[in-house]
Amino acid sequence: MEEYQKGWLGTLSFIGMMIGALVWGIMGDRLGRRRTLLTALVSNGIFGVIAAFMPTYSLLMLTRFCSSVGIGGSLPIVFTFYSEFLVRKNRGRYLSFLLVFWALGGLFVAVLAWGIIPRSGATILDMKRLHFARWRKFLLICSIPAILSAIGVSFLPESPRFLLEMGRNSEAIYVYKQIFSWNNSVKSGEEYQCWNNIAGVFSPPNTFLTLFLLMVWITMSFGFYGISIWLHEYTKYIEDNNFESRTINQANLIIEDRKFATNIENTHFTNLTFNNVRFDQTLINHCGCDIDFDVNFKLAELFYENLFAQLAILPGTLITSFILDRIGRIKTLGVSLVLTSASVGCLWFANTKEYLIAFEAVFTFLTVFGWNALDVMTTEAYPANIRTTSYGIFSAISRLAAILSNLTFGSTVQVSKLIPFSFYQRCPPIRSNLCHTTSGTKRLFLV
């Protein structure tokens, strides 16, 4: 694929996740958590498998888009579905444990890519001889967890909190009788409409809360994805410059009676004449051909970068699970925002690939605290009848912010290092009051 084609493939995936988060988030409040989560996982898994067999770029784009819609739809429902089985006392801890598996999934993909996808130009040439290429096997294996998860979800009960909101009291008590028997806020016979769900998220008393959380979601997504994209592109820029500085140029020469039995790399030949020259098992790599730098030189570096970033998520998530219920969601989020904003200033000293990889690991580690706290806050802040709708809206807006950051940061690599940490602005520290509503359920108000 050309560079612009790869860019569109990533952008289309974000668009699919944005649409899926919004549509399935609304459906989660209308049809139930279990049913919608099941359909989202099935959509992700089936279209992921189909994508592995697509013969053209356009069909690959279409199937990856459909798979991304399922991915985006599953995220809002998973948090809501799981949280409604937990009492608030330990909810932050167990939702953080849920996020541990997000980190493990990232490690699974990184290790899987390392073992399957080719890491050099020579391997790619060998791969082209195969009818079923390695990247197709990679997509196929990546779809298996979604299918297995869908099978697992089919054995789970519906959320008892959702059943109570829908007036299905006996089913709710049967599912989780002892925990939810105290809840008397049943709205029997109420019709749920898409527009009513969206309007409920933005209407009083949720207006200020929604606008505030939207601001936090947008700024965090824009900054996190923007910095991640900038780090990748800047690492590539440094490596490209270093590689080009070591280029050997040979011009106006006549080479006679010689046998080449070693690889020739990063050498540009101009106006050369070869007489009685033999090339035996020789790989000529990056010698003037206009081939994409990622493919033609040290593709393995990309896996190193991704692996270290994914490894940083795991300890950050584990630490969050222990501190979230102790120091609170707001303080955890505020500390994360301050530390990540301060850390971006270290980019001014980034001149080597090793420094950038280390910075990305630290940056990801600090950001995880904020993301985990924000996920739990968003899940707890709204009543059950609009909970997945609200999370779906925030998730969709965050994908849009990610697309904008891709366009903004991706084109600033060669401009100045001031660009990334000029754009990376965070919200100020915030405090919260936890109040009781008339129904007896706890609501979070941000001040």
Side-chain angles (χ1 to χ4, degrees), residues 212-250:
F212 190 90
L213 287 177
L214 274 176
M215 181 178 64
V216 178
W217 274 87
I218 290 173
T219 53
M220 286 190 66
S221 297
F222 185 86
F224 176 76
Y225 288 108
I227 292 295
S228 299
I229 292 168
W230 188 89
L231 288 170
H232 167 71
E233 293 297 326
Y234 193 68
T235 302
K236 178 181 172 182
Y237 173 71
I238 291 177
E239 285 291 295
D240 201 351
N241 286 341
N242 290 339
F243 189 74
E244 292 297 334
S245 67
R246 299 192 301 270
T247 300
I248 300 174
N249 294 296
Q250 295 187 5

Side-chain angles (χ1 to χ4, degrees), residues 84 92-93 116-117 129 181 187 206 256 258 270 283 302 316 335 349 354 359 375 392 398 412 424 443:
E84 290 177 346
R93 177 191 304 175
I116 295 179
I117 296 178
R129 301 189 183 102
S181 60
K187 303 176 182 178
N206 300 316
E256 296 180 317
R258 188 173 173 184
T270 305
L283 174 66
L302 301 176
V335 170
F349 306 99
E354 292 76 15
F359 171 82
D375 286 330
S398 72
T412 62
Y424 198 83
R443 294 286 306 283

Side-chain angles (χ1 to χ4, degrees), residues 230 234 343-351 355 416-418 421:
W230 188 89
Y234 193 68
S343 69
V344 176
C346 298
L347 284 178
W348 184 258
F349 306 99
N351 294 312
Y355 185 99
S416 173
K417 293 179 183 177
L418 288 172
F421 52 82

